């Protein structure tokens, strides 16, 4: 299993090595698999970027898919609602009920919780998942994008500190 993960990482590094390091970092951070959590360490270890370059291009790349998800989730949901069959109607009703029930409740602590959720550098807690969670919670675009952005900035600092710490040990 570990060999397969290392092999996959090697293939990703080989593919993105064809691009300039900044562009490779930018694109890697856009992917849901790597996001900033994978792109930033790869930029420092494999592409030999400085921390600040790696940080800048990782954050920027990670925010683009989040913005797209946040901006288009509602129209996409409305489109699916119109085109859906019987099987998806249950999900649509559930989502609408959840959004109505939770509407406005994010004001107290939801935005901070969303930011912290995105900031924690663990699998499935990044900008992609945070953006989808913001949609499900019915948080408006501007507020959710600010919260997700703050989480990405914090995650970048945490991942950067861990990466530089590991680099110092090696």
């Amino acid at each position: 299993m570990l060999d397969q993960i290392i092999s996959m990482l090697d293939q990703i590094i080989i593919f993105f090595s064809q691009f300039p390091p900044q562009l490779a970092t930018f694109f890697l951070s856009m992917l849901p698999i790597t996001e900033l959590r994978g792109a930033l360490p790869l930029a420092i270890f494999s592409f030999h970027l400085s921390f600040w370059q790696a940080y800048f291009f990782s954050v920027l790349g990670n925010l683009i898919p989040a913005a797209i998800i946040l901006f288009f989730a509602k129209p996409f949901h409305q489109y699916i609602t119109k085109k859906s069959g019987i099987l998806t109607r249950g999900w649509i009703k559930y989502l609408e009920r959840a959004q109505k029930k939770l509407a406005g409740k994010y004001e107290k602590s939801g935005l901070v919780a969303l930011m912290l959720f995105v900031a924690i550098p663990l699998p499935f807690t990044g900008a992609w998942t945070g953006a989808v969670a913001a949609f499900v919670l019915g948080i408006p675009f501007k507020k959710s994008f600010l919260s997700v952005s703050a989480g990405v900035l914090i995650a970048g600092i945490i991942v950067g500190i861990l990466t530089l710490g590991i680099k110092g040990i090696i």
Side-chain angles (χ1 to χ4, degrees):
M1 178 71 172
L2 183 59
D3 292 338
Q4 291 173 337
I5 292 171
I6 293 171
S7 175
M8 183 179 74
L9 284 174
D10 287 341
Q11 293 300 316
I12 290 171
I13 293 168
I14 290 168
F15 176 77
F16 282 103
S17 294
Q18 301 170 35
F19 298 97
Q22 296 85 353
L23 197 56
T25 303
F26 176 78
F27 286 137
L28 277 167
S29 64
M30 291 177 77
L31 298 175
I33 295 170
T34 50
E35 288 199 59
L36 175 139
R37 291 143 174 76
L40 196 145
L42 283 173
I44 291 173
F45 285 120
S46 299
F47 304 141
H48 308 291
L49 291 179
S50 70
F51 167 75
W52 292 111
Q53 278 189 313
Y55 181 81
F56 176 77
F57 288 104
S58 295
V59 166
L60 186 62
N62 203 196
L63 289 177
I64 288 176
I68 291 169
I69 292 167
L70 290 169
F71 190 77
F72 289 108
K74 189 172 184 177
F76 180 74
H77 174 69
Q78 290 169 342
Y79 172 79
I80 294 297
T81 301
K82 291 177 186 173
K83 300 288 182 184
S84 67
I86 293 171
L87 294 176
T88 57
R89 286 190 184 128
W91 163 249
I92 291 167
K93 286 181 183 179
Y94 173 78
L95 183 61
E96 288 172 353
R97 264 185 293 167
Q99 286 178 337
K100 285 178 185 174
K101 183 178 179 180
L102 297 170
K105 293 188 179 180
Y106 65 85
E107 294 289 343
K108 292 180 184 175
S109 60
L111 294 174
V112 173
L114 179 63
M115 177 194 67
L116 292 174
F117 177 79
V118 173
I120 298 169
L122 294 172
F124 308 111
T125 64
W128 281 72
T129 309
V132 171
F135 165 70
V136 170
L137 294 171
I139 302 173
F141 175 82
K142 286 182 183 178
K143 291 180 180 183
S144 58
F145 185 70
L146 286 173
S147 186
V148 169
S149 297
V152 169
L153 290 169
I154 294 167
I157 291 168
I158 294 169
V159 171
I161 289 169
L162 292 172
T163 302
L164 293 174
I166 291 170
K167 188 176 181 185
I169 294 170
I170 296 176

